[in-house]
């Protein structure tokens, strides 16, 4: 996790990038689908990280909800009274609303930079976030803010955060593609693939970083998962991912390959790849019921 970043620049670049570039293409590029199968997979993943069934009823906030990858699936599961999708990008939130409508569900949306969450103290039952902490200027302060809004005993679950060593493997595998992209840009004069996400993808996380972020929580569960799907997706498949929206047939093909890799990760690689090399730093934690912070699993 980086210690010093240009705070306002990170917020502004994230808002602009997700509004102006990602909102339109994100779901296609990431192969995001909201159906019964992916809903069941999402619930299973969240429960694996939480270490028990998700609570039912109450209010859940999806922080950095984007186009509603998590929020819409939670709405489809029918388990919660209220689902709030929070994000800095109104463009992504508009897409989330449309995605919810398309599957006949309803979610609420709120635009916020998450420096301060727009909720009263102790009012939220569950906070979930997927691929969001690495975009924030100060994840440690943000996690304290999450703790503020959670009810005592309420949990937060974070998935999709890049691990420090997992990303190092990906960056190494990407080197030939980065070189080819540079040559392509120079020769063709075209923009090529946008690799440089300097003020957008800001952090990667080690085990120590997760411990720092969850200070003051209890029942911290660190569940690093994933290898092949992310490594292939973010290195060799990156060029393909940028074509997904425009070339017919690419999205379903990439989705099938990703699902196959995920199965291999889940059945074998999550057990044999060393924890530090797994690509996703997933974790959950609970706000203490009393004011004393407690144990770490
Ligand atoms: C990689 S996307 C993940 C979206 C979604 N959670 C998913 O699983 O597909 C990251 C999201 O975080 C949002 N984001 C980035 N910085 C933010 C900030 N400071 N406050 C609120 N949202 C932010 C972006 O707008 C974007 O929608």
């Amino acid at each position: 996790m980086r210690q010093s970043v240009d705070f306002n620049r990170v917020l502004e670049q994230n808002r602009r990038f997700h509004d102006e570039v990602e909102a339109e293409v994100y779901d296609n590029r990431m192969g995001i689908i909201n159906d019964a199968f992916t809903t069941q997979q999402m619930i299973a993943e969240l429960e694996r990280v939480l270490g028990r069934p998700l609570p039912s009823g109450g209010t859940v906030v999806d922080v950095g909800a984007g186009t509603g990858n998590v929020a819409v699936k939670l709405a489809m599961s029918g388990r919660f009274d209220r689902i709030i999708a929070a994000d800095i990008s109104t463009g992504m939130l508009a897409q989330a609303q449309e995605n919810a409508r398309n599957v006949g569900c309803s979610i609420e949306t709120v635009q916020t930079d998450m420096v301060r969450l727009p909720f009263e103290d102790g009012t939220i039952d569950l906070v979930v976030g997927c691929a969001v902490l690495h975009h924030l200027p100060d994840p440690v302060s943000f996690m304290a803010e999450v703790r503020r809004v959670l009810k005592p005993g309420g949990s937060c679950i974070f998935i999709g955060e890049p691990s420090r060593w997992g990303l190092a493997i990906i960056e190494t595998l990407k080197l030939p593609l980065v070189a080819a992209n540079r040559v392509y840009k120079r020769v063709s004069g075209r923009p090529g693939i946008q690799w440089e996400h300097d003020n957008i993808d800001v952090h990667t996380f080690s085990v120590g970083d997760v411990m720092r972020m969850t200070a003051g929580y209890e029942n911290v569960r660190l569940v690093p998962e994933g290898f092949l799907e992310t490594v292939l997706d973010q290195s060799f498949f990156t060029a393909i991912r940028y074509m997904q929206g425009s070339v017919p047939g690419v999205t379903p093909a990439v989705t099938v390959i990703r699902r196959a890799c995920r199965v291999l990760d889940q059945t074998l690689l999550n057990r044999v790849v060393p924890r530090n090399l797994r690509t996703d730093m997933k974790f959950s934690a609970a706000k203490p019921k009393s004011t004393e912070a407690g144990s770490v699993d």
Side-chain angles (χ1 to χ4, degrees):
M1 193 164 57
R2 276 164 59 181
Q3 296 309 312
S4 87
V5 299
D6 185 336
F7 200 95
N8 290 326
R9 207 176 152 140
V10 166
L11 292 179
E12 180 55 13
Q13 301 252 116
N14 262 287
R15 189 194 61 71
R16 286 190 55 183
F17 176 66
H18 289 96
D19 261 350
E20 296 169 13
V21 180
E22 288 288 74
E24 220 180 296
V25 297
Y26 185 80
D27 284 351
N28 259 335
R29 197 167 65 69
M30 300 301 288
I32 289 177
I33 296 167
N34 298 310
D35 61 13
F37 176 77
T38 56
T39 296
Q40 188 200 333
Q41 291 252 310
M42 178 63 76
I43 299 285
E45 181 173 359
L46 294 173
E47 293 191 334
R48 228 173 23 252
V49 179
L50 186 62
R52 58 188 158 84
L54 291 180
S56 49
T59 301
V60 53
V61 179
D62 179 6
V63 289
T67 58
N69 179 32
V70 182
V72 172
K73 292 179 180 77
L74 291 182
M76 287 176 77
S77 78
R79 292 175 179 226
F80 298 95
D81 300 329
R82 224 181 138 196
I83 293 162
I84 305 172
D87 202 282
I88 200 169
S89 158
T90 47
M92 296 291 268
L93 289 175
Q95 190 60 50
Q97 281 291 11
E98 192 178 323
N99 288 344
R101 264 195 309 277
N102 287 343
V103 292
C105 291
S106 97
I107 57 170
E108 296 167 43
T109 54
V110 56
Q111 199 260 343
T112 166
D113 62 13
M114 299 203 293
V115 175
R116 186 168 170 85
L117 286 167
F119 310 111
E120 299 290 318
D121 294 5
T123 51
I124 307 298
D125 296 273
L126 177 68
V127 170
V128 294
C130 176
V132 62
L133 296 174
H134 66 282
H135 291 298
L136 303 182
D138 184 354
V140 174
S141 305
F142 173 69
M143 289 300 293
E145 184 60 3
V146 168
R147 200 177 65 233
R148 179 186 70 75
V149 302
L150 278 172
K151 288 181 181 170
S155 296
C156 59
I157 310 171
F158 288 89
I159 58 176
E161 297 302 340
S163 78
R164 180 184 296 173
W165 293 110
L167 197 83
I169 294 175
I170 290 167
E171 292 298 326
T172 309
L173 291 173
K174 244 166 64 176
L175 285 176
L177 278 177
V178 171
N181 189 47
R182 249 186 230 136
V183 172
Y184 170 79
K185 286 203 286 198
R186 194 161 303 157
V187 171
S188 71
R190 295 183 174 194
I193 298 169
Q194 190 189 345
W195 296 102
E196 294 82 17
H197 283 176
D198 252 6
N199 287 295
I200 297 169
D201 294 327
V202 187
H203 304 283
T204 58
F205 300 97
S206 64
V207 172
D209 293 331
V210 173
M211 291 306 139
R212 264 191 297 285
M213 288 191 290
T214 51
Y217 284 84
E218 65 181 13
N219 298 330
V220 178
R221 275 176 58 85
L222 180 62
V223 186
E225 283 186 343
F227 189 71
L228 194 60
E229 182 188 4
T230 325
V231 166
L232 289 183
D233 193 51
Q234 294 191 9
S235 53
F236 299 117
F237 291 172
T238 312
I240 296 173
R241 274 152 48 100
Y242 274 83
M243 297 191 304
Q244 278 185 44
S246 45
V247 182
V250 172
T251 300
V254 169
T255 303
V256 168
I257 296 170
R258 283 182 62 167
R259 279 188 184 173
C261 292
R262 194 176 310 164
V263 170
L264 194 57
D265 280 341
Q266 283 168 359
T267 51
L268 179 69
L269 299 179
N270 280 341
R271 269 177 281 145
V272 299
V273 173
R275 276 163 69 94
N276 274 342
L277 297 186
R278 294 180 210 158
T279 45
D280 265 9
M281 258 320 163
K282 306 177 183 185
F283 65 94
S284 66
K287 176 171 175 167
K289 286 196 174 119
S290 67
T291 46
E292 301 264 314
S295 64
V296 174
D297 280 0

